[in-house]
Amino acid sequence: MLSALSHPVYRRLFTAQVVALAGTGVANVALGLLAYDLAGPRAGAVLGTVLTVKMVAYVVLAPLAAALLARAPRRAVLVGADLVRLGVALALPFVGEVWQVLVLVVILQCASATFTPTFQSVVPDVLPDERDYTSALSLSRLAYDLEAVASPALAAVLLLVLSPSQLFWGTAVGFGASALLVVSVALPRRVHEPAGAPSGPEGSFGWRLRRGVVLFVRTPALRPVLALDLAVAAAVSFVLVQSVVVARDVLGLGPDGVALLLAVCGGGSVAAALALPRVLRAVPERRVMLGGAALLSVGCAVVPLVLAAPQDVALVGVALAWSAIGAGWSAVETPVGRVVRRAVGPDDLHVAFAAQFSLSHACWLVTYPLAGLLGALSLSWAAGVLALVALGATLAARSLWPVPGARGDAPGPDAAPAARSGAQVGA
């Protein structure tokens, strides 16, 4: 899995991603503490609003930024996004009102919605070899998982010497280091217009804005990705939203129990990410991703049975279910970059990744409140409904996916040229 790190440019980009994610994770802890300082018992409502704002920013801003910055140098875009995030991190310790937090979070997430798809579009150009690119996808998934597990521990260490508001300084350091690392490398430049871009009004900003979504709708290999995004969002939303209730009210665990459950889910995802490069050399993405979605559905479906068991049995069952959901999450998400890279031309990668980023977060925007509202009525009902959503999305993806051997299905680089030439659809 480490073969991609032998490439100097990617190694620096990956390091930039890791330090930026570490800063983001520390910021999440700091935002929770800041919300409690500002709102006290209403901190949960504030954080819920912040989470919704984050999803809206991701859904709206990713394709908008991709269209606006389609011709901008990608290194400048990445550095600019990091500098905006650094500025927000430095400003957050000085806010005194909830509305000020919301404004700064909107700016922060807009910058993240610009950074992430641009970063994703650069990596395939830096690593043209299919095996190296697969390695990079697994490393990226691993970085996100480690951010979720390690950042709270890093924040706890920093709190030994810093006040809660000063945690944002650590976030600023992460974004600043990321910007410096990106500046230190030469990235491939865009030398062509997006494939099939017409001249005149149809090559305008509006055309570019629609381009990514149209690619996903019209490209057969990309349609199942949308359904699988919904399967992931349904199962994982239950874990992220209801772990605190399951840990405290059902299992009788202390505050550390919440972190433990989330770490178990992250551990399942890490284990799958470590195994996937080897698996994907032998098994098609279609089988891996559909298998991961099925695992998500099963993991969520057994929750009602587990919660009805005696407490000791329930603890083991929840741990197994959370681990399965984490593994399924990674199995679905990690190969997405391979599917997108093979299904669209190189000049459309930026808008395609932006559309994937936006559309996948649109699924979370639906499932987050669904998990919260249903969970307030009954945890078992919430898990059952979300399991049905995940299963329905999995079956839809299976029916939408091209037959084995079509583009986006066979592993390895051999299928790439034909797939790319067939995916140049007009908007």
Side-chain angles (χ1 to χ4, degrees):
M1 190 179 73
L2 301 179
S3 62
L5 295 178
S6 63
H7 297 261
V9 172
Y10 176 73
R11 187 164 59 243
R12 292 194 184 189
L13 289 175
F14 177 68
T15 304
Q17 181 186 28
V18 169
V19 295
L21 285 173
T24 301
V26 171
N28 290 337
V29 175
L31 278 172
L33 296 172
L34 178 61
Y36 190 81
D37 286 342
L38 295 177
R42 295 181 54 250
V46 172
L47 287 176
T49 303
V50 167
L51 190 62
T52 302
V53 166
K54 174 181 175 179
M55 290 298 109
V56 171
Y58 280 176
V59 170
V60 175
L61 265 297
L64 188 62
L68 284 170
L69 303 172
R71 298 181 178 89
R74 289 181 290 186
R75 185 169 66 170
V77 173
L78 293 173
V79 172
D82 270 336
L83 293 179
V84 170
R85 297 193 292 184
L86 186 153
V88 171
L90 292 176
L92 277 167
F94 302 101
V95 303
E97 301 289 341
V98 170
W99 70 266
Q100 294 170 341
V101 175
L102 293 177
V103 169
L104 289 174
V105 166
V106 168
I107 297 172
L108 178 67
Q109 302 309 331
C110 288
S112 294
T114 301
F115 182 95
T116 300
T118 304
F119 182 91
Q120 290 173 327
S121 73
V122 168
V123 176
D125 294 338
V126 173
L127 300 173
D129 181 78
E130 185 84 357
R131 288 193 176 187
D132 289 340
Y133 182 55
T134 302
S135 169
L137 292 175
S138 291
L139 285 170
S140 181
R141 179 72 244 174
L142 189 61
Y144 279 103
D145 292 330
L146 290 177
E147 177 260 332
V149 175
S151 291
L154 176 61
V157 172
L158 291 175
L159 283 170
L160 296 176
V161 293
L162 300 176
S163 67
S165 64
Q166 291 171 336
L167 282 180
F168 291 111
W169 295 354
T171 299
V173 169
F175 293 141
S178 174
L180 290 174
L181 286 163
V182 174
V183 166
S184 71
V185 298
L187 301 182
R189 299 175 63 183
R190 293 194 188 97
V191 295
H192 304 293
E193 290 295 309
S199 59
E202 292 185 352
S204 64
F205 167 77
W207 181 90
R208 297 194 304 272
L209 183 61
R210 298 189 303 272
R211 176 68 176 168
V213 175
V214 170
L215 279 171
F216 265 82
V217 172
R218 293 191 181 179
T219 306
L222 296 182
R223 292 173 191 157
V225 173
L226 299 178
L228 292 176
D229 285 336
L230 180 58
V232 168
V236 180
S237 286
F238 182 83
V239 169
L240 298 182
V241 172
Q242 297 299 344
S243 282
V244 61
V245 180
V246 171
R248 301 304 301 272
D249 293 349
V250 178
L251 301 177
L253 302 176
D256 293 344
V258 181
L260 176 63
L261 289 187
L262 293 176
V264 166
C265 181
S269 185
V270 167
L274 291 172
L276 279 170
R278 179 172 296 180
V279 171
L280 287 168
R281 287 200 291 268
V283 182
E285 289 104 338
R286 181 180 191 272
R287 194 177 305 167
V288 171
M289 295 172 73
L290 290 176
L295 190 59
L296 286 166
S297 305
V298 172
C300 201
V302 301
V303 170
L305 299 177
V306 168
L307 296 183
Q311 194 171 79
D312 291 343
V313 177
L315 177 58
V316 175
V318 167
L320 291 174
W322 264 229
S323 180
I325 290 172
W329 186 6
S330 189
V332 172
E333 292 291 348
T334 301
V336 165
R338 285 167 53 117
V339 175
V340 174
R341 183 193 193 192
R342 190 174 295 128
V344 305
D347 298 314
D348 272 327
L349 279 178
H350 187 202
V351 292
F353 279 119
Q356 156 65 9
F357 185 84
S358 180
L359 293 170
S360 64
H361 283 85
C363 296
W364 292 89
L365 192 59
V366 173
T367 58
Y368 267 140
L370 187 62
L373 293 172
L374 292 176
L377 301 174
S378 166
L379 289 176
S380 295
W381 272 102
V385 170
L386 290 169
L388 287 175
V389 172
L391 177 61
T394 302
L395 294 175
R398 185 178 184 276
S399 66
L400 289 170
W401 211 307
V403 295
R407 61 182 178 268
D409 187 53
D414 297 340
R420 289 178 182 176
S421 65
Q424 309 306 324
V425 296

